[in-house]
Amino acid sequence: AQSVTQLGSHVSVSEGALVLLRCNYSSSVPPYLFWYVQYPNQGLQLLLKYTSAATLVKGINGFEAEFKKSETSFHLTKPSAHMSDAAEYFCAVSRNSGNTPLVFGKGTRLSVIA
Amino acid sequence: ETGVTQTPRHLVMGMTNKKSLKCEQHLGHNAMYWYKQSAKKPLELMFVYNFKEQTENNSVPSRFSPECPNSSHLFLHLHTLQPEDSALYLCASSQDRTSGRDTQYFGPGTRLTVL
């Protein structure tokens, strides 16, 4: 079975500081990994995904994530936080094996301080 | 309208009421999903439809009844709900349920409050 662990339910950074949101996964086969963002009163929006091509994945809004198989991690980073980045971030894992559900982590709420 | 739309955005109902949530996707996808998002819990997958056929029901109580008349529309019929069913209900769609790499596109959700 697959699972995702997001370390830290709440992360707070200063505007302009590095954003680092942690995600570790568990999967018995090579996974597909996703980061979604949820702004207040909205649904989830895809930031980026890893589907076994390049291990460093670039997404929207300046975010990127690196797939590290040895560490079973897929951490999300952004060099410089902006106030508009304040939202809930979800890591999710899937695999290419028919009807596999997308398993989500519990989410990390990012606050950006001016 | 583009993307995935959901109506109503907010719903308050009593435990004896019957109501329905509606989801519509304008992306030409073949798979549609219902998720429940409760505070401090991971998103819970409730139902999956692929090419209008229900492929998954994750032990959801019978007071929730899904309906998928075509690949573009998905409903969630509610009756005799409990206060613990209060949550944000999210609809999503993707090109094909069987491809794990497909992106799921989410609607804005319906905030349900059961009194």
Side-chain angles (χ1 to χ4, degrees):
Chain A
Q2 304 161 100
S3 66
V4 167
T5 302
Q6 291 185 241
L7 297 176
S9 60
H10 184 206
V11 170
S12 185
V13 300
S14 298
E15 190 174 20
L18 171 72
V19 175
L20 171 60
L21 304 182
R22 300 177 187 274
C23 172
N24 288 89
Y25 70 90
S26 172
S27 177
S28 58
V29 297
Y32 298 135
L33 293 158
F34 303 76
W35 274 102
Y36 282 85
V37 61
Q38 185 178 30
Y39 297 103
N41 301 314
Q42 295 187 29
L44 279 68
Q45 176 185 1
L46 181 72
L47 271 178
L48 49 82
K49 65 179 180 181
Y50 166 76
T51 57
S52 73
T55 56
L56 181 62
V57 182
K58 294 187 184 297
I60 62 173
N61 301 339
F63 285 93
E64 63 182 35
E66 186 172 8
F67 172 69
K68 292 187 176 181
K69 183 178 178 181
S70 61
E71 299 177 7
T72 61
S73 69
F74 191 58
H75 301 332
L76 182 71
T77 61
K78 181 175 180 177
S80 177
H82 191 272
M83 298 296 288
S84 60
D85 295 325
E88 188 94 20
Y89 291 80
F90 295 92
C91 183
V93 62
S94 180
R95 58 182 175 146
N96 193 22
S97 177
N99 293 328
T100 301
L102 189 58
V103 177
F104 286 86
K106 291 187 177 182
T108 298
R109 184 163 63 89
L110 176 67
S111 297
V112 182
I113 304 167
Chain B
E1 289 267 26
T2 59
V4 181
T5 58
Q6 291 186 242
T7 55
R9 293 293 309 276
H10 300 272
L11 178 62
V12 178
M13 58 187 289
M15 290 191 285
T16 58
N17 291 157
K18 289 184 180 181
K19 296 287 185 183
S20 295
L21 309 185
K22 178 183 176 182
C23 175
E24 183 173 1
Q25 59 97 358
H26 309 265
L27 300 168
H29 289 163
N30 297 306
M32 296 188 78
Y33 312 76
W34 279 118
Y35 287 90
K36 177 182 179 182
Q37 186 177 31
S38 305
K40 302 187 187 306
K41 294 176 69 175
L43 266 74
E44 300 172 62
L45 180 63
M46 300 175 71
F47 302 103
V48 182
Y49 280 81
N50 203 34
F51 294 90
K52 300 188 297 180
E53 299 297 322
Q54 186 179 131
T55 59
E56 286 171 57
N57 174 343
N58 286 330
S59 303
V60 180
S62 60
R63 57 185 183 269
F64 295 91
S65 175
E67 178 189 2
C68 189
N70 55 61
S71 292
S72 298
H73 294 85
L74 184 64
F75 295 88
L76 188 62
H77 303 298
L78 317 171
H79 65 97
T80 325
L81 295 191
Q82 305 298 311
E84 60 264 29
D85 297 322
S86 298
L88 183 67
Y89 289 85
L90 292 164
C91 174
S93 71
S94 70
Q95 184 60 45
D96 184 345
R97 174 68 184 99
T98 59
S99 173
R101 68 171 61 199
D102 272 2
T103 297
Q104 291 187 21
Y105 293 83
F106 286 80
T110 294
R111 173 68 64 186
L112 174 66
T113 303
V114 181
L115 302 176

